[in-house]
Amino acid sequence: MPQELPGLYWDEEKQRYFPLTSRSRRPQVAGPTGSTSHPPTHWQPHSASQATGESQNWKRHRIRSLLRASEDARSSLRTSHTNKLMHQISCSQVVQTSHVASSSILSHTHCAITAFQAVSYDNSLHSFAGDTGGWFYSSVIGQGESATGYHTSHGWRPEFSLSSEISSICISGSRCIATSFGPESKILHFPLDSDSEDIRVTRVNNRSVRDIWTADLQGTRLVLGTNDQAVVIDDAADRATVCFLKTSSDVFAVAQDNNIIYTGSRAGIVRRFDSRIASTKGDCIFNDPDTTQNNSVTNLKIFYDWQLLTSNIDGGLAMFDLRFPVNRTPIMSFTGNINSYTTKTPIATDPHNQFLFAAGQDRRIRLWSLRTGGPPLVSPDSVFQKPFEDPIRALQVVEEEVGVLGLWATSGAALHKYNLGQRMEEKSQAMQH
């Protein structure tokens, strides 16, 4: 007997299978008495039932797929709503911060602090600071020690003097580099691991290089923002290759992303350079002559490999999409910052890229959500509402423990630490228990 196949019937005369849907058109078969008849009817109900069963299975499968897709969509919406709600709660907590501790770096010169950086390395918190007198200080706090108390009582040690104002401090891996500003700018190499190498000072062997405004260290590559150009040192330790990127304007801001280098200049122009290409001309990106002319770029920061945060001397803060460098319209703007002529107005973001902090010319720190942009987050009880007596020269957010963020700010000779999201009454209750 021919094999019964779902959805098909066997034609004895033609010795082949046909679809059940063509049964009404199938040829008649001569019976034993010469009369014509259809193929044996006992196949038909069975094949039909199989076809019906398959159709029902397909319908059930389709319904289940639709239900799963619907549930996935609802789950995604719930997750998105939950994340948005959690972010709003975090914003509310951070903006209501009311606990801040202040200390002075023990400086025998009593100069203003101009640069600050802290990093967790080898189970310790390493902090570095530089002042207007050119002194470079370090502090190491062991795991479990109180950072604020340690900084207040002792621990800051003058390491070296570069003779002129410390203009930047940057850290990558186990190396810290500090630069000085002036006609004879210097570069201080300071190892976090004192057993690995000695402290040393170098210069760029080019008389045209002076006034190091800023620096960025990624791996072993150091980029300096100087007068009318950026200087790229491929290996900061060995100074193997030095390249000069001409910008025709003082470089106030630099940022690196693998082989790509971004510069922000006094002229208000952001340029993009590819270190793999011999040409040093670079490309102007996000350039709008109506808004960038004489609006110096003071800070650059890269997010998620495709977003660039810029700050300008007019107080403007904006996020641009690096995938569309000719688009002059930012994807997000942060309004309300105040500045008009100060080039040293620092910005900082938390390690999870949720919040943006910026120092204004009015000596206040403002806070924004990096998800929504717009005006700054405010609260009448927040310590961020109170202005400092001296300009704010450095900002950094450090995650000292999982989920515990601290904002460090320098003003004058003082170092201030904000325990983000913590209120004074919470601190008092914690100390009582």
Side-chain angles (χ1 to χ4, degrees):
M1 178 179 292
Q3 185 179 0
E4 296 180 4
L5 301 178
L8 301 174
Y9 75 92
W10 173 257
D11 189 305
E12 190 65 31
E13 180 182 0
K14 294 189 175 183
Q15 294 291 300
R16 57 173 293 188
Y17 290 96
F18 287 94
L20 287 173
T21 54
S22 64
R23 184 186 300 128
S24 60
R25 301 188 300 272
R26 70 186 183 280
Q28 293 179 333
V29 181
T33 59
S35 61
T36 59
S37 64
H38 294 286
T41 57
H42 64 277
W43 292 341
Q44 298 172 16
H46 185 77
S47 299
S49 66
Q50 282 195 336
T52 303
E54 284 219 339
S55 177
Q56 292 297 326
N57 287 337
W58 182 84
K59 287 180 180 179
R60 283 194 292 269
H61 173 74
R62 184 168 181 273
I63 291 172
R64 283 196 296 267
S65 298
L66 291 173
L67 289 173
R68 281 197 299 269
S70 178
E71 180 58 32
D72 290 343
R74 285 195 295 269
S75 177
S76 177
L77 286 173
R78 285 195 298 268
T79 301
S80 176
H81 179 73
T82 301
N83 290 338
K84 183 178 179 180
L85 182 61
M86 293 299 294
H87 180 67
Q88 290 175 345
I89 293 173
S90 297
C91 289
S92 176
Q93 291 176 337
V94 172
V95 77
Q96 293 182 41
T97 298
S98 62
H99 182 263
V100 58
S102 302
S103 61
S104 295
I105 295 178
L106 302 182
S107 169
H108 56 280
T109 60
H110 302 289
C111 295
I113 304 170
T114 55
F116 175 86
Q117 279 287 299
V119 65
S120 295
Y121 178 79
D122 195 22
N123 296 322
S124 297
L125 178 66
H126 295 249
S127 302
F128 304 97
D131 64 19
T132 52
W135 278 97
F136 175 81
Y137 304 86
S138 72
S139 169
V140 181
I141 303 172
Q143 190 174 25
E145 296 183 68
S146 172
T148 303
Y150 191 86
H151 283 328
T152 303
S153 58
H154 62 285
W156 283 106
R157 182 172 62 183
E159 297 285 357
F160 205 89
S161 175
L162 296 182
S163 303
S164 59
E165 177 180 315
I166 303 296
S167 57
S168 73
I169 298 176
C170 45
I171 301 171
S172 181
S174 61
R175 180 179 286 108
C176 173
I177 285 183
T179 62
S180 67
F181 183 84
E184 295 184 0
S185 300
K186 300 175 184 177
I187 305 170
L188 172 66
H189 302 253
F190 191 89
L192 272 62
D193 185 357
S194 58
D195 296 331
S196 61
E197 59 179 284
D198 295 329
I199 301 174
R200 59 192 179 89
V201 178
T202 61
R203 286 192 180 97
V204 179
N205 294 327
N206 190 304
R207 291 185 177 181
S208 67
V209 177
R210 63 182 186 277
D211 297 341
I212 299 179
W213 297 90
T214 187
D216 184 60
L217 180 64
Q218 184 183 81
T220 60
R221 187 173 65 191
L222 176 66
V223 180
L224 306 174
T226 71
N227 60 305
D228 297 334
Q229 61 192 331
V231 180
V232 182
I233 304 175
D234 278 344
D235 193 328
D238 298 330
R239 299 175 60 197
T241 305
V242 179
C243 179
F244 301 94
L245 309 178
K246 299 299 181 180
T247 59
S248 302
S249 181
D250 294 343
V251 176
F252 290 161
V254 293
Q256 301 185 67
D257 183 19
N258 294 322
N259 295 304
I260 307 301
I261 297 170
Y262 300 91
T263 64
S265 69
R266 182 192 293 273
I269 297 174
V270 177
R271 289 184 182 271
R272 179 182 61 189
F273 298 87
D274 191 328
S275 61
R276 297 165 295 185
I277 300 176
S279 171
T280 59
K281 184 178 179 181
D283 302 314
C284 292
I285 60 176
F286 315 126
N287 185 30
D288 187 350
D290 295 335
T291 59
T292 60
Q293 189 173 10
N294 301 321
N295 190 13
S296 304
V297 179
T298 54
N299 290 281
L300 293 174
K301 189 172 180 60
I302 299 172
F303 295 88
Y304 308 117
D305 298 328
W306 60 274
Q307 293 179 346
L308 182 68
L309 175 66
T310 67
S311 72
N312 294 84
I313 202 167
D314 67 351
L317 293 161
M319 189 82 75
F320 291 89
D321 193 328
L322 289 169
R323 297 170 297 182
F324 306 98
V326 298
N327 189 358
R328 302 173 180 177
T329 304
I331 57 177
M332 190 181 301
S333 295
F334 307 87
T335 61
N337 197 30
I338 295 177
N339 195 24
S340 59
Y341 60 83
T342 305
T343 60
K344 292 290 186 178
T345 48
I347 64 173
T349 61
D350 68 286
H352 306 290
N353 296 330
Q354 300 294 308
F355 306 104
L356 166 64
F357 299 86
Q361 190 173 296
D362 58 350
R363 301 176 182 178
R364 282 185 169 90
I365 297 175
R366 290 177 175 83
L367 160 68
W368 293 264
S369 165
L370 279 170
R371 291 192 182 185
T372 61
L377 305 174
V378 294
S379 171
D381 300 329
S382 176
V383 290
F384 297 121
Q385 297 295 314
K386 183 179 179 181
F388 288 90
E389 293 183 1
D390 298 293
I392 304 161
R393 295 293 301 271
L395 291 174
Q396 187 189 8
V397 182
V398 178
E399 187 173 26
E400 297 175 1
E401 300 176 20
V402 178
V404 179
L405 300 176
L407 170 66
W408 295 92
T410 67
S411 176
L415 177 64
H416 308 269
K417 183 191 175 186
Y418 296 83
N419 296 307
L420 296 179
Q422 190 175 84
R423 301 176 65 83
M424 288 299 293
E425 55 267 24
E426 295 175 357
K427 182 70 175 178
S428 300
Q429 292 174 3
M431 294 178 64
Q432 291 175 3
H433 291 294

